[in-house]
Amino acid sequence: YAWDTNEEYLFKAMVAFTMRRYSSKTTTQISNVLLCNVTDRVSFWFVVTDSTKNTTTVPGSEVEAAIRMNRNRINNAFLLSDKTLQFLKIPSTLAPPVEPSTPAWLIVFGVVLCLIVAGIVFLVVAGIQQRKKKNKESTERENLEEKGEVTITIENGTPCETLDLKAGHINGVFSADDERFTSL
């Protein structure tokens, strides 16, 4: 944007504001801020005079400290940043490093803990379902055995085919369609 007398006035007002905030004793006026060697590239130097003695200047260290304290207000007034508005001999104010609200190790710990809890819950639920299934099968077998309808043969821990004793069971290997063989 164009640097004109209104912008100069705003800059002087901001410097006077920072000087007033820095040293609450003095009442620095806009007329106490003097701009010198203003160029088209908006480059200049300025001096702040003492309000009680209009001929003496405020020490540079006080002006630097005041600007350092209120630099963000000056930048915001001109819609600039530390990269675009430079004060020579006054280093930029670096923002403090951003620290996350939760440490990284806590996030990793939480994820691992959730996985462990989910695994335990899965194993418990799977065990309960398996136990219910076994109990249901055993009660069905007991009911059928009590009625005498089924004989259960268990070989090597594996239940074999159940037989219906009333209807009988025909072994397909020995039955033939034609009766070639003599019956015994």
Side-chain angles (χ1 to χ4, degrees):
Y1 54 85
W3 185 261
D4 56 6
T5 56
N6 294 330
E7 297 291 331
E8 286 181 16
Y9 181 82
L10 178 61
F11 181 79
K12 287 179 183 180
M14 289 306 300
V15 171
F17 168 78
T18 59
M19 292 304 295
R20 284 183 175 207
R21 292 266 329 247
Y22 179 72
S23 59
S24 58
K25 301 174 198 169
T26 62
T27 55
T28 305
Q29 301 295 325
I30 295 173
S31 59
N32 294 115
V33 179
L34 306 172
L35 299 181
C36 305
N37 296 339
V38 179
T39 64
D40 291 336
R41 289 190 61 203
V42 191
S43 173
F44 56 86
W45 56 276
F46 65 95
V47 177
V48 180
T49 59
D50 192 358
S51 59
T52 56
K53 308 169 195 161
N54 210 11
T55 56
T56 60
T57 59
V58 176
S61 60
E62 285 185 32
V63 175
E64 288 176 17
I67 289 176
R68 213 176 279 119
M69 186 175 88
N70 292 304
R71 187 174 185 131
N72 62 339
R73 297 287 295 264
I74 296 171
N75 287 343
N76 290 341
F78 291 101
L79 303 174
L80 299 172
S81 67
D82 283 341
K83 294 178 182 177
T84 54
L85 179 62
Q86 293 181 346
F87 291 93
L88 298 180
K89 297 183 184 177
I90 302 175
S92 322
T93 310
L94 297 177
V98 177
E99 293 182 24
S101 60
T102 53
W105 68 268
L106 189 59
I107 294 170
V108 172
F109 176 75
V111 169
V112 170
L113 186 65
C114 286
L115 290 174
I116 290 172
V117 168
I120 290 172
V121 167
F122 173 75
L123 290 174
V124 168
V125 168
I128 290 171
Q129 288 177 345
Q130 195 173 26
R131 186 173 295 147
K132 283 182 181 180
K133 186 177 178 181
K134 277 186 178 180
N135 288 342
K136 185 178 179 182
E137 287 177 359
S138 65
T139 55
E140 286 178 1
R141 284 185 189 152
E142 289 174 4
N143 289 341
L144 291 175
E145 284 178 357
E146 288 176 2
K147 293 178 181 178
E149 295 177 0
V150 176
T151 56
I152 300 173
T153 308
I154 297 178
E155 293 183 14
N156 295 331
T158 306
C160 295
E161 186 176 323
T162 58
L163 301 174
D164 186 6
L165 297 177
K166 292 182 180 176
H169 185 72
I170 299 174
N171 190 345
V173 174
F174 296 109
S175 66
D177 291 337
D178 58 330
E179 293 284 334
R180 292 184 294 169
F181 302 108
T182 333
S183 60
L184 296 174

